C-alpha cells in the first residue's frame, strides 16, 4: 500500500489532468459554436443588394431604412461616391463657380463608414426626416414630394423644442445642406442631389454661396463590380478643366444629351491636377 502522501500526490495530479481536459473541451466547444452559429460575428453578413421592397412602402421611399442598411457595422462592402454635377443656385462670379467646381469634383471609395454619408435619425411616415449634424444635433427636413423611389426634403428647423434661441439661430443659419432629393436607382445605386450653403472662402466675405451637387452612391459585393466610369455633366467637367494650372490629357467620351463619360482613372487624374493660383485669390 502506498504511503498517504503518495496517494495525495496521485489524486492531485489526476485532478489537474481532469481540469486541463475539461478546459480544452470547453474551449473547443465555444470555438466551434461561434464558428457554426448563425449568430456568430464571423457569420453575420447583410445582403449588399438593397431591394426596393425592403425600403419602400405606401408609395414612399424610407430614407431611414436605406441609410440604416448602408451604415450597419457589418455592411463592409466596397462603396464609391462620385460628384457628377455641380451648379450654382444663386448668382456667383465665374471665378467662384470655377473654384467650387474644382474643389467639389470628388470621388472616393471605401466602406460606407469612410464616405461621410448622412446619418438619419428617424423618418416620420412620409412627413418628416431627422438628419443628424456632425455635432449630433437633429435637423428636421420636411418631405415636400415623394414616390416609391424618390424623396424630396427641405430643411425646416432644429428638432429639439427646448433648444435655446441662439443655438437654434446658429443651427438654422450655419453652412450646411438645406434640401435633398434622394432617388433609388436600383439595388446597388442611389442618386443624391444636395443643395447646400457655403461661404466665400476666397474673399472671406459674409456672402452666402448656394450650390447644388449631384452625387452617385454605388455599392456591391466586389470592388470590381463598382462603376469603372461615370456620366458627368459636360458643363461641369468643362468648368473643372478650365481651372487647371497645366492642361493634362483627360479624355472623355460624349454620351447622349449634355453628359460626358469619364473613367475612374481619368477622374483621379483630374482630382490630382492643381488649380490655377489666380482662382485661389480674391480678385
Amino acid at each position: 500500500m502506498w504511503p498517504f502522501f503518495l496517494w495525495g500526490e496521485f489524486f492531485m495530479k489526476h485532478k489537474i489532468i481532469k481540469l486541463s481536459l475539461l478546459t480544452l473541451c470547453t474551449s473547443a466547444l465555444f470555438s466551434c459554436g461561434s464558428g457554426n452559429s448563425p449568430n456568430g460575428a464571423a457569420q453575420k453578413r447583410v445582403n449588399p443588394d438593397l431591394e426596393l421592397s425592403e425600403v419602400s412602402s405606401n408609395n414612399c421611399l424610407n430614407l431611414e431604412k436605406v441609410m440604416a442598411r448602408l451604415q450597419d457595422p457589418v455592411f463592409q462592402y466596397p462603396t464609391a461616391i462620385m460628384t457628377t454635377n455641380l451648379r450654382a443656385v444663386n448668382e456667383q462670379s465665374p471665378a467662384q463657380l470655377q473654384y467650387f467646381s474644382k474643389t467639389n469634383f470628388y470621388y472616393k471609395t471605401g466602406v460606407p463608414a469612410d464616405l461621410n454619408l448622412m446619418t438619419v435619425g428617424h423618418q416620420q411616415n412620409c412627413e418628416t426626416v431627422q438628419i443628424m449634424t456632425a455635432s449630433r444635433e437633429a435637423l428636421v427636413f420636411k418631405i415636400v414630394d415623394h414616390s416609391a423611389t424618390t424623396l424630396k426634403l427641405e430643411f425646416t428647423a432644429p428638432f429639439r423644442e427646448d433648444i435655446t434661441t441662439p443655438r437654434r439661430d446658429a443651427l438654422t443659419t450655419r453652412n450646411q445642406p438645406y434640401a435633398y432629393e434622394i432617388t433609388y436607382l436600383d439595388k446597388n445605386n442611389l442618386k443624391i442631389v444636395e443643395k447646400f450653403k457655403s461661404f466665400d472662402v476666397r474673399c472671406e466675405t459674409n456672402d452666402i454661396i448656394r450650390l447644388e451637387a449631384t452625387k452617385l452612391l454605388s455599392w456591391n459585393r466586389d470592388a470590381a463590380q463598382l462603376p469603372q466610369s461615370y456620366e458627368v455633366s459636360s458643363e461641369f467637367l468643362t468648368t473643372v478643366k478650365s481651372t487647371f494650372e497645366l492642361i493634362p490629357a483627360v479624355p472623355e467620351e460624349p454620351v447622349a444629351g449634355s453628359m460626358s463619360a469619364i473613367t475612374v482613372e481619368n477622374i483621379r487624374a483630374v482630382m490630382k491636377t492643381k488649380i490655377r493660383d489666380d482662382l485661389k485669390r480674391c480678385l
Side-chain angles (χ1 to χ4, degrees), residues 2 5 17 23 82 86 93 101 104 123 136 153 155 161 175 181 203 212 216 224 254 257 267:
W2 287 4
F5 70 89
I17 293 171
T23 301
M82 172 63 192
L86 186 87
S93 70
S101 294
N104 281 276
Q123 178 167 330
R136 307 303 298 174
L153 314 173
F155 173 65
E161 296 180 356
N175 295 315
E181 182 175 342
C203 297
E212 179 186 275
L216 182 65
I267 288 169

Side-chain angles (χ1 to χ4, degrees), residues 59-63 87 118 123 125-129 131 140-156 178-184 191-195 212:
N59 200 40
C60 183
L61 181 67
N62 192 306
L63 185 59
R87 70 176 190 87
M118 70 174 73
Q123 178 167 330
N125 300 321
C126 218
E127 299 172 4
T128 60
V129 177
I131 297 179
V140 177
F141 284 76
K142 181 181 178 182
I143 298 174
V144 295
D145 196 10
H146 64 87
S147 71
T149 57
T150 302
L151 278 187
K152 290 185 179 180
L153 314 173
E154 290 183 359
F155 173 65
T156 56
Y178 62 89
Y180 289 99
E181 182 175 342
I182 314 295
T183 303
Y184 174 100
K191 184 173 78 169
I192 302 171
V193 179
E194 175 186 290
K195 291 183 179 180
E212 179 186 275

Side-chain angles (χ1 to χ4, degrees), residues 228 262-270:
Q228 300 303 303
I262 180 170
T263 66
V264 168
E265 180 182 3
N266 286 329
I267 288 169
R268 294 186 188 278
V270 169

